[in-house]
């Protein structure tokens, strides 16, 4: 599943699924541009990759469209082309019951998870069209809880449901231009985000997983790597669950 010669851009690359994706894509030969709002963390990610390759770390706030355009301009200046692999792994939670959920927490989750995915998708896809790169793959990260809801996560569920729906639209609009757009739907994955969930709640979720365990970021990253490659050349607009059967 060689990705030699491919340039990959990953948001949320400072930890979790984003970091694991950088490692998997680099292993297959891709040059990595790792981006995260937490720049020290993304620098740590870069240290885990082959130092012989021309990988880059960049600071990025996905909810800031101007910042995204600046980052893209820097990428093109450095590599002379936009990335043909784009992974939207940046995401946050601000959990609370609907009775208590503040306007600010609702808006922030939508801004990062949904609007941020939209900004990156639109900016990078349009650049791919402009540069006439007609073999590209964009992978967005949804969530299994967006399928059926989860107590205390009205904002998160809404944002991830929006990501999945938007991905299907993007697949239809960009598919004829050679850009495939798909969604990964992770279940309960061991990341810094799930580390904040109370143990009692986590045990309840674990009992609902046929495989009897939580997933690892690497297990999601392997599927992302497949979608990034030509092995998945006829997969477009799909939502692929990585949940252990949850």
């Amino acid at each position: 599943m060689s990705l030699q010669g491919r340039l990959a851009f990953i948001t949320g690359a400072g930890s979790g699924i984003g970091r694991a994706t950088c490692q998997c894509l680099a292993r297959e030969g891709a040059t990595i541009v790792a981006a995260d709002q937490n720049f020290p963390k993304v620098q740590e990610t870069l240290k885990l990759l082959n130092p012989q390759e021309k990988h880059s770390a960049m600071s990025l706030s996905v909810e800031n469209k101007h910042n995204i355009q600046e980052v893209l301009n820097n990428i093109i200046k450095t590599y002379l082309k936009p990335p043909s692999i784009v992974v939207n792994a940046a995401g946050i939670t601000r959990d609370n019951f609907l009775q208590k959920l503040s306007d600010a927490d609702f808006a922030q989750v939508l801004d990062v998870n949904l609007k941020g995915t939209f900004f990156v998708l639109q900016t990078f896809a349009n650049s791919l069209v402009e540069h006439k790169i007609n073999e590209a793959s964009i992978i967005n990260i949804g969530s299994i809880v967006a399928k059926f809801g989860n107590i205390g996560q009205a904002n998160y569920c809404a944002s991830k449901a929006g990501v999945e729906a938007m991905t299907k639209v993007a697949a239809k609009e960009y598919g004829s231009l050679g850009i495939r757009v798909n969604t990964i739907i992770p279940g309960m994955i061991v990341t810094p985000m799930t580390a904040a969930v109370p143990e009692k709640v986590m045990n309840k979720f674990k009992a609902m997983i046929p495989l009897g365990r939580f997933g690892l970021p690497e297990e999601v990253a392997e599927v992302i790597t497949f979608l990034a490659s030509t092995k998945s050349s006829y997969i477009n607009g799909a939502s692929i669950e990585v949940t252990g059967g949850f």
Side-chain angles (χ1 to χ4, degrees):
M1 196 157 49
S2 175
L3 296 176
Q4 290 291 338
R6 301 284 298 279
L7 181 62
F9 176 71
I10 301 94
T11 70
S15 63
I17 292 170
R19 174 175 285 181
T21 299
C22 291
Q23 292 176 283
C24 282
L25 294 174
R27 181 198 67 204
E28 298 299 327
T31 301
I32 304 300
V33 180
D36 200 289
Q37 190 168 27
N38 188 332
F39 190 62
K41 282 289 186 182
V42 86
Q43 287 179 307
E44 289 176 16
T45 296
L46 223 62
K47 292 176 183 177
L48 300 173
L49 310 181
N50 184 349
Q52 305 304 317
E53 300 296 329
K54 196 181 178 184
H55 304 304
S56 298
M58 296 190 179
S59 177
L60 175 69
S61 296
V62 295
E63 66 271 37
N64 185 329
K65 191 170 186 177
H66 178 69
N67 188 197
I68 292 168
Q69 187 62 58
E70 285 182 329
V71 166
L72 175 58
N73 292 343
N74 286 337
I75 291 171
I76 293 172
K77 183 178 179 181
T78 302
Y79 298 99
L80 308 178
K81 61 181 179 181
S84 62
I85 299 168
V86 177
V87 182
N88 275 303
I92 63 168
T93 56
R94 296 288 184 272
D95 296 348
N96 213 331
F97 294 114
L98 273 167
Q99 277 182 301
K100 301 177 180 179
L101 185 60
S102 70
D103 295 353
D105 283 349
F106 185 87
Q108 189 175 15
V109 169
L110 269 290
D111 282 349
V112 173
N113 296 359
L114 181 55
K115 191 185 290 185
T117 297
F118 162 65
F119 284 159
V120 172
L121 167 62
Q122 183 189 59
T123 303
F124 280 75
N126 287 350
S127 182
L128 286 163
V129 173
E130 182 184 337
H131 285 80
K132 296 181 170 58
I133 296 175
N134 57 8
E135 189 178 294
S137 178
I138 298 175
I139 300 109
N140 299 323
I141 306 297
S143 174
I144 193 63
V145 298
K147 296 279 190 183
F148 53 80
N150 191 33
I151 291 172
Q153 291 196 308
N155 48 3
Y156 186 76
C157 291
S159 70
K160 292 301 188 178
V163 166
E164 186 175 5
M166 181 173 64
T167 300
K168 292 182 182 300
V169 175
K172 295 179 186 300
E173 293 187 4
Y174 287 108
S176 63
L177 301 170
I179 302 169
R180 297 183 296 111
V181 192
N182 293 290
T183 312
I184 294 287
I185 310 292
M188 297 302 292
I189 309 298
V190 180
T191 67
M193 191 180 290
T194 56
V197 179
E199 185 179 358
K200 182 180 178 181
V201 177
M202 292 295 276
N203 288 336
K204 182 180 177 182
F205 276 119
K206 187 180 289 186
M208 299 167 67
I209 301 171
L211 292 186
R213 65 176 178 84
F214 300 128
L216 300 175
E218 294 78 10
E219 292 176 302
V220 180
E222 292 289 359
V223 184
I224 291 171
T225 302
F226 167 69
L227 288 176
S229 76
T230 55
K231 297 281 188 184
S232 60
S233 56
Y234 202 56
I235 299 178
N236 186 41
S239 299
I240 300 178
E241 295 185 10
V242 188
T243 66
F246 181 60

